[in-house]
Coordinates of all heavy atoms in Angstrom, one line a residue:
M1 N 171.0 129.3 96.2 CA 172.1 130.2 96.6 C 171.5 131.6 96.6 O 171.0 132.1 95.6 CB 173.2 130.1 95.6 CG 174.4 130.8 96.0 SD 175.6 129.6 96.5 CE 176.8 130.6 97.0
P2 N 171.6 132.3 97.8 CA 171.0 133.7 97.8 C 171.9 134.7 97.0 O 173.1 134.5 96.9 CB 171.1 134.0 99.3 CG 172.0 133.1 100.0 CD 172.1 131.9 99.1
K3 N 171.2 135.7 96.5 CA 171.9 136.7 95.8 C 172.8 137.5 96.7 O 172.4 137.8 97.8 CB 171.0 137.6 95.1 CG 170.2 137.0 93.9 CD 169.3 138.0 93.2 CE 168.6 137.3 92.1 NZ 167.8 138.3 91.4
P4 N 174.0 137.9 96.3 CA 174.9 138.6 97.2 C 174.4 140.1 97.4 O 173.8 140.7 96.4 CB 176.2 138.5 96.5 CG 175.9 138.2 95.1 CD 174.6 137.5 95.1
E5 N 174.6 140.6 98.5 CA 174.4 142.0 98.9 C 173.0 142.5 98.8 O 172.7 143.7 98.7 CB 175.3 142.9 98.0 CG 176.8 142.6 98.1 CD 177.6 143.5 97.3 OE1 177.1 144.6 96.8 OE2 178.8 143.1 97.0
I6 N 172.0 141.6 98.8 CA 170.6 142.1 98.9 C 169.9 141.7 100.2 O 168.9 142.2 100.6 CB 169.7 141.6 97.7 CG1 169.6 140.1 97.7 CG2 170.3 142.1 96.4 CD1 168.5 139.6 96.8
H7 N 170.6 140.8 101.0 CA 170.0 140.3 102.2 C 170.6 141.0 103.4 O 171.8 141.4 103.4 CB 170.2 138.8 102.3 CG 169.5 138.0 101.3 ND1 168.2 137.8 101.3 CD2 170.0 137.4 100.1 CE1 167.8 137.1 100.2 NE2 168.9 136.9 99.5
P8 N 169.9 141.2 104.5 CA 170.5 141.8 105.7 C 171.5 140.9 106.4 O 171.4 139.7 106.2 CB 169.3 142.1 106.6 CG 168.2 141.2 106.1 CD 168.5 140.9 104.7
T9 N 172.3 141.5 107.2 CA 173.3 140.7 107.9 C 172.6 139.8 108.9 O 171.7 140.3 109.7 CB 174.3 141.6 108.6 OG1 174.9 142.5 107.6 CG2 175.4 140.8 109.3
W10 N 172.9 138.6 109.0 CA 172.3 137.7 110.0 C 173.2 137.5 111.2 O 174.4 137.1 111.0 CB 172.0 136.3 109.3 CG 171.3 135.3 110.2 CD1 171.9 134.3 110.8 CD2 170.0 135.4 110.7 NE1 171.0 133.6 111.6 CE2 169.8 134.3 111.5 CE3 168.9 136.2 110.4 CZ2 168.6 134.0 112.1 CZ3 167.7 135.9 111.0 CH2 167.6 134.8 111.9
Y11 N 172.6 137.7 112.4 CA 173.4 137.5 113.6 C 172.8 136.3 114.3 O 171.7 136.3 114.9 CB 173.2 138.7 114.5 CG 173.8 140.0 113.9 CD1 172.9 140.9 113.2 CD2 175.1 140.3 114.0 CE1 173.4 142.0 112.7 CE2 175.6 141.5 113.4 CZ 174.8 142.3 112.8 OH 175.3 143.5 112.2
P12 N 173.5 135.2 114.3 CA 173.0 133.9 114.9 C 172.9 134.0 116.4 O 172.1 133.2 117.0 CB 173.9 132.8 114.4 CG 175.2 133.5 114.0 CD 174.8 134.9 113.6
D13 N 173.7 134.8 117.0 CA 173.7 134.9 118.5 C 173.3 136.3 119.0 O 174.0 136.9 119.8 CB 175.1 134.5 119.1 CG 175.4 133.1 118.8 OD1 174.5 132.3 118.9 OD2 176.6 132.8 118.6
A14 N 172.2 136.8 118.5 CA 171.7 138.1 118.9 C 171.2 138.0 120.3 O 170.5 137.1 120.7 CB 170.6 138.6 118.0
K15 N 171.5 139.1 121.1 CA 171.1 139.1 122.5 C 169.8 139.8 122.7 O 169.6 140.9 122.2 CB 172.2 139.8 123.3 CG 173.5 139.1 123.3 CD 174.6 139.9 124.0 CE 175.9 139.2 123.8 NZ 177.0 140.0 123.9
V16 N 168.9 139.1 123.5 CA 167.6 139.7 123.9 C 167.8 140.3 125.3 O 168.1 139.6 126.2 CB 166.5 138.7 123.8 CG1 165.2 139.4 124.3 CG2 166.3 138.1 122.4
I17 N 167.6 141.6 125.4 CA 167.9 142.3 126.7 C 166.6 142.8 127.2 O 165.8 143.5 126.6 CB 168.9 143.5 126.4 CG1 170.2 142.9 125.9 CG2 169.1 144.2 127.7 CD1 171.1 144.0 125.4
C18 N 166.3 142.5 128.5 CA 165.2 143.0 129.3 C 165.7 143.6 130.6 O 166.3 142.9 131.4 CB 164.2 141.9 129.5 SG 162.7 142.4 130.3
N19 N 165.4 144.8 130.8 CA 165.8 145.6 132.0 C 167.3 145.5 132.2 O 167.8 145.3 133.3 CB 165.1 145.0 133.3 CG 163.6 145.2 133.2 OD1 163.1 146.2 132.6 ND2 162.8 144.3 133.8
G20 N 168.0 145.6 131.2 CA 169.5 145.7 131.3 C 170.1 144.3 131.5 O 171.3 144.2 131.7
E21 N 169.4 143.3 131.4 CA 169.9 141.9 131.6 C 169.7 141.1 130.3 O 168.6 141.1 129.8 CB 169.2 141.3 132.8 CG 169.6 139.9 133.2 CD 168.9 139.4 134.4 OE1 168.4 140.2 135.2 OE2 168.7 138.2 134.5
V22 N 170.7 140.3 129.9 CA 170.5 139.4 128.8 C 169.7 138.2 129.2 O 170.0 137.5 130.1 CB 171.9 138.9 128.2 CG1 171.7 138.0 127.1 CG2 172.7 140.1 127.8
V23 N 168.5 138.0 128.6 CA 167.6 136.9 129.0 C 167.7 135.7 128.1 O 167.4 134.6 128.5 CB 166.2 137.4 129.1 CG1 166.0 138.4 130.2 CG2 165.7 138.1 127.8
M24 N 168.1 135.9 126.8 CA 168.3 134.8 125.9 C 169.0 135.2 124.7 O 169.2 136.4 124.4 CB 166.9 134.2 125.5 CG 166.1 135.1 124.6 SD 164.5 134.4 124.1 CE 163.5 134.9 125.5
T25 N 169.4 134.3 123.8 CA 170.0 134.6 122.5 C 169.2 133.9 121.5 O 168.8 132.8 121.6 CB 171.5 134.1 122.5 OG1 171.5 132.7 122.7 CG2 172.4 134.9 123.5
V26 N 169.0 134.6 120.4 CA 168.3 134.1 119.2 C 168.9 134.6 118.0 O 169.9 135.4 118.0 CB 166.8 134.7 119.3 CG1 166.1 134.2 120.5 CG2 166.8 136.2 119.2
G27 N 168.5 134.1 116.8 CA 169.0 134.5 115.5 C 168.1 135.7 115.1 O 166.9 135.7 115.2
S28 N 168.8 136.7 114.6 CA 168.1 137.9 114.2 C 168.9 138.8 113.2 O 170.1 138.5 113.0 CB 167.8 138.8 115.4 OG 167.1 140.0 115.1
T29 N 168.3 139.8 112.6 CA 169.0 140.7 111.8 C 169.5 141.9 112.5 O 170.1 142.7 111.9 CB 168.0 141.2 110.6 OG1 166.9 141.8 111.2 CG2 167.6 140.0 109.7
Q30 N 169.3 141.9 113.8 CA 169.8 143.0 114.7 C 170.7 142.3 115.8 O 170.4 141.2 116.3 CB 168.7 143.7 115.4 CG 167.8 144.4 114.5 CD 166.7 145.1 115.2 OE1 166.5 145.0 116.4 NE2 165.9 145.9 114.5
P31 N 171.9 142.9 116.1 CA 172.7 142.2 117.1 C 172.2 142.2 118.5 O 172.5 141.3 119.3 CB 174.0 143.0 117.0 CG 173.6 144.3 116.4 CD 172.5 144.1 115.5
E32 N 171.4 143.2 118.9 CA 170.8 143.3 120.2 C 169.3 143.7 120.1 O 169.0 144.6 119.3 CB 171.5 144.3 121.1 CG 172.9 143.9 121.5 CD 173.5 144.9 122.5 OE1 172.9 146.0 122.7 OE2 174.6 144.6 123.0
I33 N 168.4 143.0 120.8 CA 167.0 143.3 120.8 C 166.6 143.7 122.2 O 166.8 142.9 123.2 CB 166.2 142.1 120.3 CG1 166.7 141.7 118.9 CG2 164.7 142.4 120.3 CD1 166.1 140.3 118.5
S34 N 166.0 144.9 122.4 CA 165.6 145.3 123.7 C 164.1 145.1 123.8 O 163.4 145.6 123.0 CB 166.0 146.8 123.9 OG 165.6 147.3 125.1
V35 N 163.7 144.4 124.9 CA 162.2 144.2 125.1 C 161.9 144.6 126.5 O 162.7 144.7 127.4 CB 161.9 142.7 124.9 CG1 162.1 142.2 123.5 CG2 162.7 141.8 125.9
D36 N 160.6 144.9 126.7 CA 160.0 145.3 128.0 C 159.5 144.1 128.7 O 159.6 144.0 129.9 CB 158.9 146.4 127.8 CG 159.5 147.7 127.3 OD1 160.6 148.0 127.6 OD2 158.7 148.4 126.6
V37 N 158.9 143.2 128.0 CA 158.2 142.0 128.6 C 158.7 140.8 127.8 O 158.7 140.8 126.6 CB 156.7 142.2 128.5 CG1 156.0 140.9 129.0 CG2 156.2 143.4 129.2
W38 N 159.0 139.7 128.5 CA 159.3 138.4 128.0 C 158.7 137.4 128.8 O 158.1 137.7 129.9 CB 160.8 138.3 127.8 CG 161.6 138.1 129.0 CD1 161.8 139.1 130.0 CD2 162.2 137.0 129.5 NE1 162.6 138.6 131.0 CE2 162.8 137.3 130.7 CE3 162.3 135.7 129.1 CZ2 163.5 136.4 131.5 CZ3 163.1 134.8 129.8 CH2 163.7 135.2 131.0
S39 N 158.7 136.1 128.5 CA 158.0 135.1 129.2 C 158.5 134.9 130.6 O 157.8 134.4 131.5 CB 158.2 133.7 128.5 OG 159.5 133.4 128.4
G40 N 159.7 135.4 131.0 CA 160.2 135.3 132.3 C 159.6 136.3 133.3 O 159.6 136.1 134.5
N41 N 159.0 137.4 132.8 CA 158.4 138.4 133.7 C 157.0 138.7 133.3 O 156.4 139.6 133.8 CB 159.3 139.6 133.8 CG 159.3 140.4 132.5 OD1 158.8 140.1 131.5 ND2 160.0 141.5 132.5
H42 N 156.4 138.0 132.3 CA 155.0 138.2 131.9 C 154.1 137.6 133.0 O 154.3 136.4 133.3 CB 154.7 137.7 130.5 CG 153.5 138.1 130.0 ND1 152.3 137.5 130.3 CD2 153.2 139.1 129.1 CE1 151.3 138.1 129.6 NE2 151.8 139.1 128.9
P43 N 153.0 138.3 133.4 CA 152.1 137.7 134.4 C 151.4 136.4 134.0 O 151.2 135.6 134.9 CB 151.0 138.8 134.6 CG 151.7 140.0 134.1 CD 152.7 139.7 133.1
F44 N 151.2 136.2 132.7 CA 150.6 134.9 132.3 C 151.5 133.7 132.6 O 151.0 132.7 133.1 CB 150.3 135.0 130.8 CG 149.6 133.7 130.3 CD1 148.3 133.5 130.5 CD2 150.4 132.7 129.6 CE1 147.7 132.3 130.0 CE2 149.8 131.6 129.2 CZ 148.5 131.4 129.4
Y45 N 152.8 133.9 132.4 CA 153.7 132.8 132.6 C 154.2 132.6 134.0 O 154.5 131.6 134.5 CB 154.9 132.9 131.6 CG 154.5 132.8 130.2 CD1 154.5 134.0 129.4 CD2 154.1 131.6 129.6 CE1 154.1 133.9 128.1 CE2 153.7 131.6 128.3 CZ 153.7 132.7 127.5 OH 153.3 132.6 126.2
T46 N 154.3 133.7 134.8 CA 154.8 133.7 136.1 C 153.7 133.4 137.1 O 154.0 133.0 138.3 CB 155.5 135.0 136.5 OG1 154.5 136.1 136.4 CG2 156.6 135.3 135.6
G47 N 152.4 133.6 136.8 CA 151.4 133.3 137.7 C 151.0 134.5 138.6 O 150.1 134.4 139.4
T48 N 151.7 135.6 138.5 CA 151.4 136.8 139.3 C 150.4 137.6 138.5 O 150.3 137.6 137.3 CB 152.6 137.6 139.6 OG1 153.2 138.0 138.3 CG2 153.6 136.8 140.3
Q49 N 149.6 138.4 139.2 CA 148.6 139.2 138.6 C 148.7 140.6 139.0 O 148.8 140.9 140.2 CB 147.2 138.7 138.9 CG 146.1 139.5 138.2 CD 144.7 139.0 138.6 OE1 144.6 138.1 139.4 NE2 143.7 139.5 137.9
K50 N 148.8 141.5 138.1 CA 148.9 142.9 138.4 C 147.7 143.6 137.7 O 147.4 143.5 136.6 CB 150.1 143.6 137.8 CG 151.4 143.4 138.6 CD 152.4 144.4 138.1 CE 153.3 143.7 137.1 NZ 154.4 144.5 136.7
I51 N 146.9 144.3 138.6 CA 145.8 145.1 138.0 C 146.2 146.6 138.1 O 146.4 147.1 139.2 CB 144.5 144.8 138.8 CG1 144.1 143.4 138.7 CG2 143.4 145.8 138.3 CD1 142.8 143.0 139.5
I52 N 146.3 147.2 137.0 CA 146.6 148.6 137.0 C 145.3 149.4 136.9 O 144.6 149.3 135.9 CB 147.5 148.9 135.8 CG1 148.8 148.1 135.8 CG2 147.8 150.4 135.7 CD1 149.7 148.2 134.6
D53 N 145.0 150.0 138.0 CA 143.7 150.7 138.1 C 143.9 152.2 137.8 O 144.5 153.0 138.6 CB 143.2 150.6 139.6 CG 141.8 151.1 139.7 OD1 141.2 151.4 138.7 OD2 141.3 151.2 140.8
T54 N 143.6 152.6 136.6 CA 143.7 154.0 136.2 C 142.3 154.7 136.4 O 141.3 154.2 135.8 CB 144.1 154.1 134.8 OG1 143.3 153.4 133.9 CG2 145.5 153.6 134.6
E55 N 142.3 155.7 137.2 CA 141.1 156.5 137.4 C 139.9 155.7 138.0 O 138.8 156.0 137.8 CB 140.6 157.1 136.1 CG 141.7 158.0 135.5 CD 141.2 158.6 134.1 OE1 140.0 158.4 133.8 OE2 142.1 159.1 133.4
G56 N 140.2 154.7 138.8 CA 139.2 153.9 139.5 C 138.3 153.1 138.6 O 137.2 152.8 139.0
R57 N 138.8 152.7 137.5 CA 138.0 151.9 136.5 C 137.6 150.6 137.1 O 136.5 150.1 136.8 CB 138.7 151.8 135.2 CG 138.8 153.1 134.5 CD 139.5 152.9 133.1 NE 139.6 154.2 132.5 CZ 140.3 154.4 131.4 NH1 140.9 153.4 130.8 NH2 140.4 155.6 130.9
V58 N 138.5 149.9 137.8 CA 138.2 148.6 138.3 C 137.1 148.7 139.4 O 136.2 148.0 139.4 CB 139.5 147.9 138.8 CG1 139.2 146.6 139.6 CG2 140.5 147.7 137.7
D59 N 137.3 149.7 140.3 CA 136.3 149.9 141.4 C 134.9 150.2 140.8 O 133.9 149.7 141.2 CB 136.7 151.0 142.3 CG 137.9 150.6 143.2 OD1 138.0 149.4 143.4 OD2 138.7 151.4 143.6
R60 N 134.9 151.1 139.8 CA 133.7 151.5 139.1 C 133.0 150.3 138.5 O 131.8 150.1 138.6 CB 133.9 152.5 138.1 CG 132.7 153.1 137.5 CD 133.0 154.3 136.6 NE 134.3 154.2 136.1 CZ 134.8 155.0 135.1 NH1 134.1 155.9 134.6 NH2 136.1 154.9 134.7
F61 N 133.8 149.4 137.9 CA 133.2 148.2 137.2 C 132.6 147.3 138.3 O 131.5 146.7 138.2 CB 134.3 147.4 136.4 CG 133.8 146.1 135.9 CD1 133.1 146.1 134.7 CD2 134.1 145.0 136.6 CE1 132.7 144.9 134.2 CE2 133.7 143.7 136.1 CZ 133.0 143.7 134.9
L62 N 133.4 147.1 139.4 CA 132.9 146.2 140.5 C 131.7 146.7 141.1 O 130.8 146.0 141.5 CB 134.1 146.0 141.5 CG 135.3 145.2 141.0 CD1 136.4 145.2 142.1 CD2 134.9 143.9 140.5
R63 N 131.6 148.0 141.3 CA 130.4 148.6 141.9 C 129.2 148.5 141.0 O 128.1 148.2 141.4 CB 130.6 150.1 142.2 CG 131.1 150.4 143.6 CD 131.0 151.9 143.9 NE 131.9 152.6 142.9 CZ 133.0 153.2 143.1 NH1 133.4 153.4 144.3 NH2 133.7 153.7 142.2
K64 N 129.4 148.7 139.7 CA 128.4 148.7 138.7 C 127.7 147.3 138.7 O 126.5 147.2 138.6 CB 128.9 149.0 137.3 CG 127.9 149.0 136.2 CD 128.5 149.4 134.9 CE 127.5 149.4 133.8 NZ 128.1 149.8 132.5
Y65 N 128.5 146.2 138.8 CA 127.9 144.9 138.7 C 127.8 144.2 140.1 O 127.6 143.0 140.1 CB 128.8 144.0 137.8 CG 128.7 144.6 136.3 CD1 129.7 145.3 135.8 CD2 127.5 144.3 135.6 CE1 129.5 145.8 134.5 CE2 127.4 144.8 134.3 CZ 128.4 145.5 133.8 OH 128.3 146.0 132.5
G66 N 127.9 145.0 141.2 CA 127.6 144.5 142.5 C 128.6 143.5 143.0 O 128.3 142.7 143.9
M67 N 129.8 143.5 142.5 CA 130.9 142.6 143.0 C 131.7 143.2 144.1 O 132.6 142.5 144.7 CB 131.8 142.2 141.8 CG 131.1 141.4 140.8 SD 132.3 141.0 139.5 CE 131.5 141.7 138.1
L68 N 131.5 144.4 144.5 CA 132.3 145.1 145.5 C 131.5 145.2 146.7 O 130.4 145.8 146.8 CB 132.6 146.5 145.0 CG 133.6 147.3 145.8 CD1 135.0 146.6 145.7 CD2 133.8 148.7 145.2
D69 N 132.0 144.6 147.8 CA 131.2 144.6 149.1 C 131.5 145.9 149.8 O 132.3 146.7 149.4 CB 131.5 143.4 150.0 CG 133.0 143.3 150.4 OD1 133.8 144.0 149.8 OD2 133.3 142.5 151.2
A70 N 130.8 146.2 150.9 CA 130.9 147.4 151.6 C 132.3 147.7 152.2 O 132.7 148.8 152.2 CB 129.8 147.5 152.7
S71 N 133.0 146.7 152.7 CA 134.3 146.9 153.3 C 135.3 147.3 152.2 O 136.1 148.2 152.5 CB 134.8 145.6 154.0 OG 134.9 144.6 153.0
N72 N 135.2 146.8 151.0 CA 136.1 147.2 149.9 C 135.8 148.6 149.5 O 136.7 149.4 149.1 CB 136.1 146.2 148.8 CG 136.7 144.9 149.0 OD1 137.5 144.8 150.0 ND2 136.5 143.9 148.2
D73 N 134.5 148.9 149.5 CA 134.1 150.3 149.0 C 134.6 151.3 150.0 O 135.1 152.4 149.6 CB 132.6 150.3 148.9 CG 132.1 151.5 148.1 OD1 132.9 152.0 147.3 OD2 130.9 151.9 148.3
A74 N 134.5 151.1 151.3 CA 135.0 152.0 152.3 C 136.5 152.2 152.2 O 137.0 153.3 152.3 CB 134.6 151.5 153.7
E75 N 137.3 151.1 151.9 CA 138.7 151.2 151.7 C 139.1 152.0 150.5 O 140.0 152.8 150.6 CB 139.3 149.8 151.6 CG 139.3 149.0 152.9 CD 139.7 147.6 152.7 OE1 140.3 147.3 151.6 OE2 139.6 146.8 153.6
S76 N 138.4 151.8 149.4 CA 138.7 152.6 148.2 C 138.4 154.0 148.4 O 139.1 154.9 147.8 CB 138.0 152.0 147.0 OG 136.6 152.2 147.1
D77 N 137.3 154.4 149.1 CA 137.0 155.8 149.4 C 138.0 156.4 150.3 O 138.3 157.6 150.1 CB 135.6 155.9 150.0 CG 134.5 155.6 149.0 OD1 134.8 155.6 147.8 OD2 133.3 155.3 149.4
A78 N 138.6 155.6 151.2 CA 139.6 156.2 152.1 C 140.9 156.5 151.4 O 141.6 157.4 151.7 CB 139.9 155.1 153.2
K79 N 141.2 155.7 150.3 CA 142.4 156.0 149.5 C 142.3 157.3 148.7 O 143.3 157.9 148.5 CB 142.6 154.8 148.5 CG 143.1 153.5 149.2 CD 143.3 152.5 148.1 CE 143.6 151.1 148.8 NZ 143.7 150.1 147.8
K80 N 141.1 157.6 148.3 CA 140.9 158.9 147.5 C 141.1 160.0 148.5 O 141.6 161.0 148.5 CB 139.5 158.9 146.9 CG 139.4 157.8 145.9 CD 138.0 157.9 145.3 CE 137.8 156.8 144.3 NZ 136.5 156.7 143.8

């Protein structure tokens, strides 16, 4: 038997919210949980891939190890 008044309130139907939409309900000590990423929109589970290229790091890596062909190099230079 748990001691009274030392445990947090348990919410058996806490709502998990992602992008303003309720994606699931779980048990938690908070009534609402706000998340940015969950299995429904994570690239690993959805099969989509996003490469966020900050400051040309991906292009620099590809050029350094010779994985970038001339057509891709010209396209990346045109974007700059």
Side-chain angles (χ1 to χ4, degrees):
M1 188 105 187
K3 291 184 180 181
E5 299 181 21
I6 64 166
H7 297 284
T9 304
W10 180 254
Y11 299 95
D13 294 325
K15 297 174 183 156
V16 179
I17 299 171
C18 182
N19 296 329
E21 182 179 332
V22 176
V23 292
M24 69 178 87
T25 58
V26 295
S28 177
T29 57
Q30 298 177 355
E32 290 185 352
I33 302 168
S34 179
V35 296
D36 295 327
V37 178
W38 68 292
S39 63
N41 66 359
H42 191 278
F44 180 81
Y45 297 106
T46 60
T48 59
Q49 181 179 7
K50 278 195 264 183
I51 297 176
I52 300 172
D53 188 10
T54 57
E55 302 175 10
R57 292 180 182 173
V58 173
D59 289 334
R60 187 174 22 172
F61 175 83
L62 294 175
R63 267 191 302 247
K64 180 177 180 180
Y65 293 103
M67 293 183 236
L68 191 65
D69 60 348
S71 63
N72 286 344
D73 196 24
E75 290 175 8
S76 66
D77 289 341
K79 288 180 184 177
K80 293 179 183 176

